[in-house]
Amino acid sequence: MSRIFEITEKVSAYASKSDIELLNRAYVFAAQAHAEQRRSSGEMYITHPLAVADILASLKLDVATIATGLLHDTVEDTHISLDDIRERFGEDIAKLVDGVTKIGKIHFNSSEHKQAENFRKMILATAKDLRVLLVKLADRMHNMRTLGFVSKEKARRVSEETIQIHAPLAHRLGIHWIKQEMEDIAFSYIDPDGYELVKGKLKDKLEFLQQTQANLENLLQEALSRQGLEATLQGRMKHLYSLHQKMQRKHIDFEEIYDIVAFRLIVKDAASCYQALGIIHSLYRPVPGRFKDYIALPKPNGYQSLHTSVIGPENHRIEVQIRAESMHRHAEDGVAAHWMYKDGDTDAHGQREFLWLSQLTELLQEAENPNELMENVRLDLFVQEVYVFSRDGDIYALPRGARPLDFAYAVHTDIGHHCIGVRINGEMRDFRAKLHNGDQIEILTSPDQEPSSQWLKYVKTPKARQAIRQYYRRQERETSIQVGMEILNEVLIGEPPVELLQALECDNLASLQEKLGRGDISLDMLLKQLGDDDVSQVKLKCMRANYMYGANCCYPIPGDSVLGRVVADKGMELHYRDCKELSSLSRYRWLEVDWQEPGKRLYPTGIEVRAENRRGMLARVSGCISQAEANIDDLKLDQRAGEMTVLRILVGVHDRKHLATVLKALKILDGVATVKRQNQVGLGKNYTRGIGDMLRGMVSRGRRSLFKSKSKMKGKKT
């Protein structure tokens, strides 16, 4: 059992200026909070926080981290609140305790490898300060050491989680001794028979290891002393789980593993490493191709050491690693090594430097090349994903900024299509809410719900965006087919012949209907094909000349941007795209129409002429229109106060080009101030009174109009 004075002595040994009083206060506070609690072993609960703090002190971490180890369970398991921690121990420790508490609420319940990797990434993304992870690893380390006091079922479940999640995290952080101890303990509960088999075979090698280590130490110490070198020799065997994995991976027996024994030679500096290497090679024959210089060429994660393999006593192959003390510290404790105090130097700049070093070290210890390292940077250091839970506990990785609909479509396309609402962490939220790491999402659905085009504003993932667009493309196809069917029903009697389908490059009737409805085949193209070809089995219900006509609410003409709708027994009614009546006709299916006519018919449209109120002006305007080969179908005069009169005229023109000619001629007419198209305001049934009535009521400067009818308009003057 760890004791607080033992922990404070450890801390004082590597950080002489540290705040030991803070640790003592944290211990007393935690002991009081957990006073009524006991562990599964029957021990007082405070033994656990003490053990966690002791592990953190062994890693030579800062006082705030060790204090967090003492306090890490108080908020989750006792009446203590986070505000209590903040008030007594400050903001830094409160944030660390809060981080450990949040991670403790995340539970892994899947054995799938992909889910495990998502879980690890989620923990990394959740822990904004890496010290939170270190406390969590120390917490799990002590829990693993005491698994013997829980049920076998729970011990196995915790061990599987440790193998999948916590041991890889320790490896990522470079703390290899924690990784190895966790794996060996977990191995003993997951596969007890396999564990005992490997343990028994390794036990037979212990005598050889001890004898070899003693002989090697004596030889090396003598040789190094003669050269004036001081060194520490550490002998070890591969840990049980790694041996088991190697046997499984390579399908070999234990006796076929030749690198069971390894030694580490720790010297003062880099120069001493190369000097020691020469001494070892002079004592034992090196194995060709097994030498690696990670001092001159460090691994991207900063690892430095010399690796060599030699043929040792009794022709056994022995692996030797040679490194300086600082290199060894980095290799063993990884990220934790960067929090070691330098005489209490904990200024803000130093903390930022430690944070950067810790983040850099975190980038997967396995990175062997620059490309892989940069990929790790993208994945972990600058996290671009959020990890959320489904209601059943499955983990989904989504891009940062993702919203509920992204999650719904990630689960299943049908779930997305029928989504009517969402609960995030049990609370109803709208589709604009951003998802955060650890959120639990529940999607509410209804079979009557359909996607909305507005959803495209709320989704971020390509999958969701594509699913919504595909849905609307399918809907548009069905609508286009229906519109095309109505067009053909108005134009043809019976099925269209094969010759017509071939001429219009359609594979079948549905293809023709879809292309007609979508506008890929214009009505003009269809009618031209029917008119030019003598197809006896097809009869036109409507002739080309009267099939398409402009609506009398907006008076469009050929060449305008128009929309059309099929009107039974009449043909295609065309509306100007900006027609105000379209909103009241929204229930109809509208078709994009490219309206181009050969110029044989005249189509009515409206113009507005503002002219000076002078004698003969109306006659000049009407004469100008006549000379432009256009008709006047209707006219209204609006006399304004002053010298100007407004003429609203319904003129008949062939198309937009013809209309432009009329407008140009009017603009240069003497006395005309402005001319513009006015195809909507004041036209139609609410406008036309009949030209005769209008002219009879027209007054200019108090004089009665001389015009009695439309037939007398030409040549008359006011």
Side-chain angles (χ1 to χ4, degrees):
M1 173 180 169
S2 302
R3 301 181 183 277
I4 187 62
F5 73 87
E6 295 172 339
I7 295 171
T8 56
E9 286 179 356
K10 278 186 180 180
V11 175
S12 298
Y14 65 80
S16 59
K17 297 182 180 180
S18 53
D19 190 353
I20 300 300
E21 178 58 27
L22 174 65
L23 295 179
N24 286 322
R25 287 194 293 112
Y27 164 69
V28 172
F29 186 84
Q32 292 175 346
H34 294 294
E36 302 300 322
Q37 295 176 312
R38 291 187 176 272
R39 299 270 289 170
S40 299
S41 62
E43 295 178 305
M44 296 296 294
Y45 194 90
I46 191 61
T47 59
H48 172 63
L50 280 170
V52 172
D54 187 51
I55 293 171
L56 297 171
S58 299
L59 291 170
K60 299 183 179 180
L61 294 175
D62 63 308
V63 165
T65 307
I66 298 171
T68 301
L70 291 167
L71 300 166
H72 76 278
D73 277 338
T74 54
V75 173
E76 184 175 4
D77 294 340
T78 75
H79 63 281
I80 301 300
S81 69
L82 195 61
D83 287 336
D84 294 331
I85 301 293
R86 185 178 293 108
E87 180 181 350
R88 288 170 171 79
F89 301 101
E91 186 65 31
D92 187 31
I93 292 177
K95 286 182 178 179
L96 293 176
V97 171
D98 186 41
V100 177
T101 302
K102 287 179 178 178
I103 288 182
K105 293 179 180 179
I106 300 174
H107 298 290
F108 175 76
N109 60 357
S110 173
S111 60
E112 295 182 14
H113 175 74
K114 183 179 179 180
Q115 290 280 31
E117 181 59 24
N118 283 346
F119 190 91
R120 289 194 292 269
K121 286 184 179 180
M122 186 179 69
I123 290 178
L124 291 170
T126 303
K128 297 179 180 180
D129 191 321
L130 287 178
R131 291 177 294 177
V132 170
L133 292 181
L134 296 173
V135 175
K136 193 61 189 175
L137 287 176
D139 174 46
R140 177 52 62 105
M141 185 72 263
H142 182 248
N143 283 334
M144 292 299 292
R145 289 172 176 173
T146 57
L147 275 184
F149 297 102
V150 301
S151 67
K152 290 183 179 181
E153 180 182 351
K154 181 177 180 179
R156 182 182 178 86
R157 185 177 69 251
V158 171
S159 295
E160 288 177 347
E161 180 178 297
T162 301
I163 287 286
Q164 291 280 351
I165 306 301
H166 297 86
L169 278 176
H171 177 66
R172 296 277 279 273
L173 298 174
I175 312 174
H176 298 295
W177 68 268
I178 286 184
K179 168 187 178 290
Q180 293 171 1
E181 185 176 345
M182 280 185 176
E183 287 179 338
D184 280 353
I185 296 174
F187 180 31
S188 70
Y189 287 100
I190 295 173
D191 184 4
D193 294 337
Y195 175 82
E196 292 297 332
L197 175 65
V198 178
K199 183 180 178 181
K201 290 183 176 296
L202 189 59
K203 186 176 181 181
D204 297 337
K205 298 284 185 179
L206 287 178
E207 184 178 349
F208 165 76
L209 171 64
Q210 295 169 352
Q211 183 179 354
T212 302
Q213 181 174 354
N215 294 338
L216 195 58
E217 279 187 351
N218 291 334
L219 287 171
L220 283 177
Q221 290 296 349
E222 280 187 30
L224 294 172
S225 296
R226 287 196 298 268
Q227 299 294 329
L229 287 178
E230 294 184 2
T232 301
L233 187 66
Q234 297 179 348
R236 66 174 181 86
M237 287 190 173
K238 282 187 177 291
H239 68 291
L240 301 178
Y241 186 67
S242 67
L243 289 171
H244 171 74
Q245 281 186 308
K246 190 167 187 176
M247 292 165 61
Q248 297 296 317
R249 187 174 61 251
K250 294 190 174 183
H251 304 288
I252 58 177
D253 294 329
F254 183 87
E255 288 72 19
E256 298 177 77
I257 301 176
Y258 296 106
D259 56 350
I260 297 175
V261 180
F263 290 92
R264 292 197 185 106
L265 192 63
I266 303 170
V267 294
K268 183 175 62 174
D269 51 32
S272 301
C273 291
Y274 291 101
Q275 191 174 358
L277 176 68
I279 294 172
I280 291 173
H281 282 179
S282 68
L283 295 173
Y284 298 103
R285 179 165 54 90
V287 177
R290 296 293 299 172
F291 171 68
K292 294 180 181 178
D293 187 346
Y294 292 119
I295 294 179
L297 297 172
K299 290 185 178 182
N301 58 29
Y303 175 85
Q304 289 184 294
S305 186
L306 297 178
H307 290 194
T308 187
S309 291
V310 298
I311 305 299
E314 300 182 18
N315 289 324
H316 284 283
R317 182 181 294 185
I318 299 174
E319 179 185 327
V320 182
Q321 299 172 353
I322 308 169
R323 58 182 67 150
E325 292 177 0
S326 59
M327 300 174 191
H328 180 64
R329 171 74 175 148
H330 177 90
E332 286 298 290
D333 293 337
V335 63
H338 298 295
W339 266 286
M340 187 170 67
Y341 280 58
K342 291 185 178 180
D343 295 324
D345 180 15
T346 58
D347 60 89
H349 174 76
Q351 290 180 2
R352 288 195 298 269
E353 182 180 4
F354 288 150
L355 181 60
W356 166 248
L357 288 172
S358 67
Q359 290 172 332
L360 185 61
T361 307
E362 179 191 356
L363 304 180
L364 296 184
Q365 297 291 315
E366 295 300 314
E368 295 287 349
N369 58 66
N371 290 336
E372 185 178 354
L373 179 63
M374 289 309 299
E375 178 64 15
N376 294 333
V377 170
R378 286 191 291 271
L379 285 176
D380 290 316
L381 184 54
F382 305 107
V383 178
Q384 297 297 318
E385 294 177 311
V386 292
Y387 300 89
V388 297
F389 290 104
S390 70
R391 183 181 61 181
D392 297 329
D394 293 327
I395 299 173
Y396 290 83
L398 298 170
R400 186 171 294 277
R403 284 154 169 91
L405 283 170
D406 293 307
F407 173 80
Y409 278 103
V411 175
H412 196 280
T413 301
D414 286 342
I415 299 295
H417 284 345
H418 300 298
C419 177
I420 60 171
V422 60
R423 288 193 183 99
I424 302 179
N425 301 323
E427 296 182 3
M428 290 299 300
R429 303 291 297 276
D430 61 36
F431 289 162
R432 294 171 294 181
K434 289 186 178 181
L435 304 182
H436 299 92
N437 282 307
D439 282 347
Q440 186 175 56
I441 316 298
E442 181 181 358
I443 298 297
L444 309 178
T445 62
S446 168
D448 299 326
Q449 175 71 326
E450 294 180 352
S452 165
S453 58
Q454 295 297 312
W455 288 7
L456 292 171
K457 297 179 181 179
Y458 306 135
V459 297
K460 187 177 180 67
T461 59
K463 179 178 180 180
R465 191 174 299 277
Q466 181 181 8
I468 295 169
R469 286 175 174 166
Q470 284 181 345
Y471 177 86
Y472 273 97
R473 278 196 290 270
R474 287 194 298 270
Q475 294 296 102
E476 288 170 3
R477 181 176 184 274
E478 294 172 3
T479 301
S480 296
I481 290 175
Q482 182 63 34
V483 171
M485 184 186 305
E486 293 178 5
I487 293 172
L488 289 176
N489 288 340
E490 289 298 318
V491 174
L492 304 176
I493 295 176
E495 294 291 324
V498 175
E499 292 85 350
L500 179 63
L501 296 176
Q502 292 175 345
L504 295 173
E505 299 181 353
C506 296
D507 296 331
N508 49 45
L509 175 60
S511 176
L512 174 60
Q513 292 169 340
E514 181 181 358
K515 289 183 178 180
L516 271 173
R518 199 168 57 231
D520 294 343
I521 296 176
S522 67
L523 286 169
D524 192 52
M525 293 169 60
L526 176 65
L527 294 174
K528 180 179 178 181
Q529 191 65 42
L530 292 171
D532 293 343
D533 296 338
D534 183 15
V535 184
S536 59
Q537 64 266 43
V538 178
K539 296 182 179 180
L540 293 179
K541 296 171 77 174
C542 305
M543 294 304 293
R544 174 193 177 91
N546 62 12
Y547 182 79
M548 287 188 288
Y549 62 93
N552 62 5
C553 55
C554 56
Y555 292 103
I557 58 177
D560 281 343
S561 178
V562 294
L563 297 173
R565 70 183 180 98
V566 177
V567 179
D569 298 325
K570 290 185 178 181
M572 179 67 71
E573 181 182 85
L574 305 176
H575 287 255
Y576 197 65
R577 184 176 291 275
D578 295 330
C579 177
K580 294 181 179 179
E581 295 295 321
L582 287 179
S583 60
S584 64
L585 300 170
S586 60
R587 64 185 181 278
Y588 294 106
R589 293 189 178 95
W590 293 95
L591 177 68
E592 295 278 352
V593 179
D594 182 16
W595 192 21
Q596 303 294 337
E597 289 287 341
K600 295 179 180 179
R601 289 183 58 194
L602 293 177
Y603 295 90
T605 195
I607 62 173
E608 180 184 279
V609 180
R610 290 178 177 266
E612 295 177 2
N613 206 353
R614 63 170 71 169
R615 183 183 297 274
M617 179 55 68
L618 181 58
R620 285 196 293 274
V621 169
S622 60
C624 181
I625 293 173
S626 178
Q627 289 175 7
E629 299 182 351
N631 288 344
I632 297 179
D633 295 333
D634 213 340
L635 180 147
K636 181 180 180 181
L637 181 145
D638 184 8
Q639 186 175 356
R640 304 289 177 87
E643 300 293 324
M644 302 299 293
T645 295
V646 177
L647 298 172
R648 294 189 177 90
I649 307 170
L650 199 63
V651 297
V653 295
H654 296 303
D655 50 27
R656 287 175 62 89
K657 185 177 180 180
H658 188 195
L659 176 63
T661 301
V662 174
L663 297 179
K664 183 177 181 181
L666 288 171
K667 286 179 181 178
I668 63 175
L669 195 65
D670 184 35
V672 172
T674 62
V675 181
K676 64 180 180 179
R677 187 175 180 185
Q678 192 78 348
N679 64 327
Q680 201 152 7
V681 179
L683 296 177
K685 62 182 180 180
N686 296 324
Y687 169 78
T688 306
R689 293 167 44 197
I691 190 83
D693 292 339
M694 286 184 168
L695 294 179
R696 279 191 289 271
M698 185 172 65
V699 178
S700 175
R701 292 183 182 275
R703 294 190 294 274
R704 182 174 58 85
S705 172
L706 300 176
F707 296 97
K708 301 298 182 182
S709 66
K710 184 176 179 181
S711 61
K712 297 181 180 181
M713 185 177 290
K714 283 190 178 181
K716 300 296 182 179
K717 297 182 180 181
T718 57

